Amino acid sequence: MTDDAQIQFSFAHEPQSARAKLIKRWRLLTDVILPGVAKQNRWPISQNHCFMRVCLDKSLGIPWHEVVKRPALRHMTDDQLRETIAVAERILETPSLLFELNNHSIKQRKILRDQS
């Protein structure tokens, strides 16, 4: 086995960090699962960045970019990421919640624009 092959092999078997697992779950939810459910059920939003906006705004209590630097995933704490994932999971459990959260997010952002 070459040195390069040994390095790749050992890297592939390193355990995933807790943060990496959170990021993987977040990306799966917002890139695959929620958009797939949205298309099947004709939800008002279906793109990953829309789900990210709704979940982040809800978990942080205000439009996310007022609290976290861009890009959010790089700058959120693990606790913020966990809460954001929990919001996405709640949307899957109670799909009707999406409509309320999306409307709330849009209203919060409009208020901020009007104040500027």
Side-chain angles (χ1 to χ4, degrees):
M1 190 179 293
T2 67
D3 288 336
D4 287 340
Q6 287 174 334
I7 291 169
Q8 288 175 349
F9 179 76
S10 63
F11 178 75
H13 287 65
E14 289 181 19
Q16 239 183 0
S17 72
R19 176 127 182 128
K21 289 178 184 178
L22 290 171
I23 290 170
K24 185 177 179 179
R25 181 63 181 159
W26 171 242
R27 298 303 296 203
L28 180 65
L29 284 163
T30 58
D31 289 344
V32 179
I33 296 173
L34 288 169
V37 173
K39 287 176 186 171
Q40 289 174 346
N41 294 294
R42 299 180 188 236
W43 285 355
I45 61 174
S46 61
Q47 296 183 358
N48 67 345
H49 65 274
C50 296
F51 289 110
M52 291 175 183
R53 169 187 52 84
V54 168
C55 294
L56 285 162
D57 286 1
K58 174 60 178 171
S59 68
L60 297 171
I62 61 174
W64 69 266
H65 52 81
E66 296 290 317
V67 179
V68 177
K69 285 177 36 177
R70 296 175 193 263
L73 191 54
R74 184 179 305 153
H75 293 100
M76 284 190 295
T77 66
D78 289 356
D79 286 342
Q80 289 169 327
L81 184 52
R82 274 192 217 54
E83 181 55 35
T84 303
I85 290 168
V87 172
E89 299 279 4
R90 285 195 298 270
I91 291 170
L92 280 176
E93 293 168 8
T94 311
S96 61
L97 186 60
L98 174 70
F99 299 89
E100 174 189 333
L101 296 180
N102 185 45
N103 288 335
H104 184 70
S105 172
I106 291 168
K107 285 178 187 173
Q108 283 183 315
R109 288 161 178 271
K110 184 179 182 324
I111 290 168
L112 277 179
R113 274 194 308 271
D114 291 347
Q115 291 174 350
S116 298

